[in-house]
Amino acid sequence: MKSFEKELPENYDALKKKANYTSSWRDRLDAVTTLSAYQHEKVIDLLNNRMKNDTVFKVQTAAYKALVAFGENVEKPTPARFDVIKGPNKIFLRVKKSLPKDHTVEEFADKLKRMRLDVYDAFEGDKGDQFMTWLEERWAKL
């Protein structure tokens, strides 16, 4: 059986902030991975929160695996059946309207990233390699 640190890491506050940073699923995943070595009540609470509430399935799964390794009785997360962010079309339409009529999907993606990094990041993390293809399909339908 793997042994874990029982004390909080010295940089716990920074890791907690990183784990809850809405504009970067990669930062959240990195924080969850780092915290997975520390079997402490505060870490368990934080990992439960990420497992249940993160918009990106990869982060949810990493938190779940850490909790299971700690011996916690948790239910495995399932991928979102619908959009990971509620009402994305309104956001996408607002971005599209802020651009010139003849803009490209790349310009749209760049503006979305600048206007709503949280939305861009959540979908990019959720869709992975298929993100730009998916975004182009959504953009074309607006």
Side-chain angles (χ1 to χ4, degrees), residues 33 91 95:
T33 302
I91 297 165
V95 172

Side-chain angles (χ1 to χ4, degrees), residues 21-29 54-62 79-80 82-85 92 112-113 116-132 134-135:
Y21 186 51
T22 58
S23 293
S24 177
W25 69 269
R26 287 177 180 86
D27 282 353
R28 293 193 310 274
L29 182 61
D54 205 278
T55 54
V56 176
F57 187 63
K58 290 173 193 167
V59 178
Q60 292 176 351
T61 302
F82 303 103
D83 285 328
V84 296
I85 300 283
F92 295 159
L112 174 63
K113 194 174 190 178
R116 290 296 305 270
L117 181 57
D118 59 327
V119 173
Y120 182 95
D121 185 74
F123 281 113
E124 193 239 357
D126 182 59
K127 304 298 177 193
D129 293 342
Q130 304 303 312
F131 173 65
M132 279 308 292
W134 173 86
L135 189 62

Side-chain angles (χ1 to χ4, degrees), residues 2-142:
K2 186 176 178 183
S3 65
F4 300 99
E5 292 289 329
K6 300 295 183 192
E7 301 294 320
L8 282 173
E10 280 185 34
N11 61 341
Y12 173 74
D13 288 336
L15 287 168
K16 179 180 177 182
K17 187 175 180 180
K18 195 173 175 182
N20 292 309
Y21 186 51
T22 58
S23 293
S24 177
W25 69 269
R26 287 177 180 86
D27 282 353
R28 293 193 310 274
L29 182 61
D30 183 54
V32 164
T33 302
T34 301
L35 289 167
S36 296
Y38 298 89
Q39 190 176 4
H40 186 278
E41 186 178 316
K42 286 185 176 184
V43 171
I44 290 169
D45 286 346
L46 189 143
L47 293 176
N48 262 305
N49 181 280
R50 286 299 90 214
M51 180 187 75
K52 293 174 183 169
N53 300 312
D54 205 278
T55 54
V56 176
F57 187 63
K58 290 173 193 167
V59 178
Q60 292 176 351
T61 302
Y64 166 78
K65 288 178 180 177
L67 290 165
V68 168
F70 291 163
E72 296 292 309
N73 184 14
V74 290
E75 199 171 308
K76 189 174 186 173
T78 55
R81 290 180 41 220
F82 303 103
D83 285 328
V84 296
I85 300 283
K86 190 175 179 181
N89 284 345
K90 287 181 184 178
I91 297 165
F92 295 159
L93 195 55
R94 198 172 317 126
V95 172
K96 189 167 185 165
K97 285 182 176 181
S98 74
L99 290 163
K101 274 212 180 304
D102 60 347
H103 69 272
T104 65
V105 69
E106 289 79 14
E107 290 168 325
F108 174 78
D110 183 57
K111 184 81 180 240
L112 174 63
K113 194 174 190 178
R114 285 186 280 125
M115 283 178 72
R116 290 296 305 270
L117 181 57
D118 59 327
V119 173
Y120 182 95
D121 185 74
F123 281 113
E124 193 239 357
D126 182 59
K127 304 298 177 193
D129 293 342
Q130 304 303 312
F131 173 65
M132 279 308 292
T133 303
W134 173 86
L135 189 62
E136 186 168 6
E137 289 169 3
R138 295 294 284 258
W139 169 78
K141 291 177 184 175
L142 291 173

